[in-house]
Amino acid sequence: MSVKNQQRDSFIEWCRRGEPMIWINAAAVSISAIAVIGLLILLAVRGFGHFWPADVMQAQYALPGDEPKRIIGESVQTESVPIEQLRSAGFTLDTTEIFADRQLIKQGNRDVNGLDFTWLLSGYLSDISYPEDLMVVERREWGNFYGFLRSVKEGDVVVADGSLSEAELWAAYEQRIERAKSLFEQIETIEKKQIGAINYKLEKLRLRERSLALNENLPVERRAQEEAEIAAERAELDSEYSGYQSRLTALYTDIHRDSITAEVMSGKVVELRLAKIVHAYKPNAMSVLDKAGFYLFKFVEFLTDEPREANTEGGIMPAIFGTITMVLLMSIVVTPFGVIAAIYLREYARQGTFLRIVRISVYNLAGVPSIVFGVFGLGFFVYTMGGSIDALFYPERAPQPVFGTPGLLWASLTLALLTLPVVIVATEEGLARIPRSLREASLALGATKAETLWRVVLPMASPAMMTGLILAIARAAGEVAPLMLVGVVKLAPSLPLDGNFPFLHLERKFMHLGFHIYDVGFQSPNVEAARPLVYATSFLLVLVVILLNF
């Protein structure tokens, strides 16, 4: 036999053993794993790099024929653009080059400059330096501020200025910003917790009073007693409210006492109230260890703080909480219904044409666009079920709805309905793989059908059930379209969980990581500032799905 025939026979035998499919499957799995890992690395680098305190440059910038001007800001990215494109945009450039480099500079000071970001041609930047006294101020409004600290004021009195050393001037600022932060925390505690609890109790009293007015069969003596109790409780709450309001007035007066003045890149000196400042730091004077500590602080703040500045600043804690709570509620609902439905279809239902139609309907239901489920949830859960619940149990709240409006409960039920086919199909496939001989052996040993199902079949089918649940969680956590109709909002004023009974308020609207990504990425008025947060939030959404699966 020739060598060529031997090679052909060996190749045919290799194919018969199925080794090509093994290599193809291994390659497909490897490519998928590399793609997923690469995506996670991209999201992490592009997102979490945003929290590193980048150096801030000072430079002179002058285009041909223009007066030089001072530029202060962070260099965000650099790209090459054709010279002809720049000339068509109105730039007068005397160069023979084909391409020119330009930098995206985050200059901040939106209340002074009008724009947070600006594009500058790298070739026209000169005298680039990184002064150690250049500071970055994170504000509660108007984004970042870049400039040089010139003085610290207490009321209208300057308590520290350029006559002191740079370290002494900065120490005077840090002393007063800590005081402002403490006052701000006190104000937030009073407004959100203490006054919030009083308002909640006052609303309960109002509803109780409204309920009395609707109850025409109540005896006169009982009505008078109830009204007297309500009046006494309201007077006590009003007294507490007045006390907190007086304290708030004093705190607001106190927090607006201190301010600083700073010089911006145009040379103008502006005044900043410390009440409007979140942090201030000097990145050019920070060591690598200092920057690492600040980075960790910013990352923790991103995970635990509330959003601000149209969701382009601050943290995403409400979105993380809303996503996890909704997915857990959805899992509690979809798991028993999906598993029971699959058990009935596989183990108890009589096989026939009707059952085949039911299975086909379940399979088709898995392919229905998610927005259709959102419309169904809005019409059935919110308006029908929620409206009925309000009419039966909350007549005193009319016309203000309680459950007759989109909220956490209806969003969870809508996504449970959306993912129900996934759990049914996965569980039924797992039950179908259990050999019939095992069922017959259990029955032959005297076990009932229910005992056989509970002790033999279900334990062996549990991996398939978990697969269905994992797929349901992954899909529910990433859905956005139906949630926009049944409960998710851009910014929730309060979490569904608080210290007021019943503690978990399923009727409240909530924030969601998926919708937060959509809102920040496509609805933000400041696209460049929002882009890193889109990457960071996307990475956290993937991480939340993985943790929920565990």
Side-chain angles (χ1 to χ4, degrees), residues 48-364:
F48 298 134
H50 167 70
F51 304 114
W52 184 263
D55 291 338
V56 181
M57 73 173 183
Q58 175 181 257
Q60 293 293 323
Y61 182 70
L63 292 172
D66 293 344
E67 290 292 327
K69 62 179 180 179
R70 184 168 62 162
I71 296 295
I72 294 176
E74 302 176 18
S75 179
V76 178
Q77 71 179 73
T78 303
E79 67 179 22
S80 296
V81 293
I83 292 293
E84 291 302 323
Q85 178 181 337
L86 295 174
R87 286 173 177 163
S88 63
F91 288 91
T92 304
L93 304 176
D94 185 14
T95 179
T96 58
E97 298 290 335
I98 300 176
F99 290 92
D101 291 336
R102 67 175 183 175
Q103 296 184 40
L104 180 63
I105 303 296
K106 184 177 181 181
Q107 61 182 355
N109 302 3
R110 190 165 69 243
D111 50 336
V112 178
N113 302 323
L115 294 174
D116 268 337
F117 293 83
T118 184
W119 285 99
L120 303 177
L121 296 177
S122 303
Y124 298 94
L125 287 170
S126 61
D127 299 332
I128 299 176
S129 62
Y130 295 89
E132 291 190 354
D133 59 337
L134 214 168
M135 70 174 182
V136 180
V137 180
E138 293 184 24
R139 299 181 289 181
R140 304 188 192 280
E141 298 175 351
W142 298 106
N144 281 5
F145 177 90
Y146 297 87
F148 298 91
L149 181 62
R150 291 296 178 242
S151 68
V152 178
K153 299 173 67 176
E154 190 173 296
D156 295 328
V157 180
V158 176
V159 296
D161 56 16
S163 62
L164 301 176
S165 66
E166 181 184 333
E168 291 174 332
L169 181 59
W170 188 254
Y173 157 76
E174 289 185 324
Q175 178 184 358
R176 282 161 178 78
I177 191 61
E178 290 301 323
R179 173 182 175 277
K181 287 181 181 179
S182 175
L183 291 174
F184 184 82
E185 290 174 359
Q186 293 179 47
I187 290 172
E188 198 171 40
T189 300
I190 292 175
E191 288 182 340
K192 290 189 174 182
K193 293 184 179 180
Q194 296 168 341
I195 289 184
I198 290 176
N199 288 334
Y200 184 81
K201 293 176 181 177
L202 287 172
E203 177 64 12
K204 288 291 186 182
L205 288 179
R206 186 189 71 82
L207 295 176
R208 185 177 164 190
E209 194 173 41
R210 171 69 174 164
S211 181
L212 285 177
L214 294 176
N215 190 357
E216 299 177 352
N217 298 323
L218 193 67
V220 177
E221 296 80 3
R222 178 67 182 276
R223 184 185 299 275
Q225 181 182 357
E226 291 281 346
E227 290 176 349
E229 292 177 358
I230 292 173
E233 291 181 27
R234 180 178 284 116
E236 183 179 352
L237 291 173
D238 287 340
S239 176
E240 291 184 31
Y241 183 87
S242 299
Y244 285 127
Q245 195 63 41
S246 300
R247 189 178 174 190
L248 266 182
T249 302
L251 287 173
Y252 271 116
T253 303
D254 207 11
I255 198 173
H256 287 292
R257 185 196 69 179
D258 298 334
S259 63
I260 61 172
T261 60
E263 180 185 338
V264 298
M265 65 185 187
S266 63
K268 180 181 178 181
V269 176
V270 299
E271 184 173 353
L272 303 175
R273 292 287 176 185
L274 295 189
K276 301 295 183 181
I277 295 177
V278 182
H279 310 292
Y281 57 97
K282 297 180 178 179
N284 298 341
M286 298 171 74
S287 65
V288 175
L289 189 60
D290 293 335
K291 289 187 176 183
F294 186 82
Y295 176 86
L296 182 61
F297 168 77
K298 289 294 295 179
F299 182 71
V300 173
E301 182 189 60
F302 179 68
L303 296 179
T304 59
D305 206 359
E306 295 181 356
R308 61 178 188 272
E309 282 288 291
N311 291 342
T312 59
E313 299 287 345
I316 57 171
M317 179 59 193
I320 295 175
F321 180 87
T323 303
I324 293 176
T325 305
M326 184 206 66
V327 171
L328 290 177
L329 289 174
M330 181 275 303
S331 302
I332 292 173
V333 174
V334 76
T335 303
F337 280 98
V339 171
I340 291 172
I343 291 173
Y344 176 78
L345 291 175
R346 176 56 57 177
E347 302 293 333
Y348 289 98
R350 180 177 298 177
Q351 305 300 316
T353 303
F354 178 75
L355 191 61
R356 285 196 296 271
I357 294 174
V358 171
R359 283 203 178 94
I360 293 173
S361 301
V362 171
Y363 298 153
N364 290 335

Side-chain angles (χ1 to χ4, degrees), residues 301 342 433 460:
E301 182 189 60
R433 287 196 296 267
M460 298 182 69

Side-chain angles (χ1 to χ4, degrees), residues 40 303 316 319-325 327-328 473-474 477-478 512-513 536-550:
L40 293 178
L303 296 179
I316 57 171
I320 295 175
F321 180 87
T323 303
I324 293 176
T325 305
V327 171
L328 290 177
I473 288 175
H512 185 270
L513 285 172
T537 308
S538 300
F539 182 86
L540 285 178
L541 178 58
V542 175
L543 188 62
V544 166
V545 172
I546 294 173
L547 293 176
L548 287 171
N549 288 340
F550 276 118

Side-chain angles (χ1 to χ4, degrees), residues 369-383 414 481-482 485-486:
S370 59
I371 190 66
V372 176
F373 285 94
V375 173
F376 174 82
L378 181 65
F380 179 72
F381 290 132
V382 177
Y383 293 150
T414 300
L485 299 175
V486 290

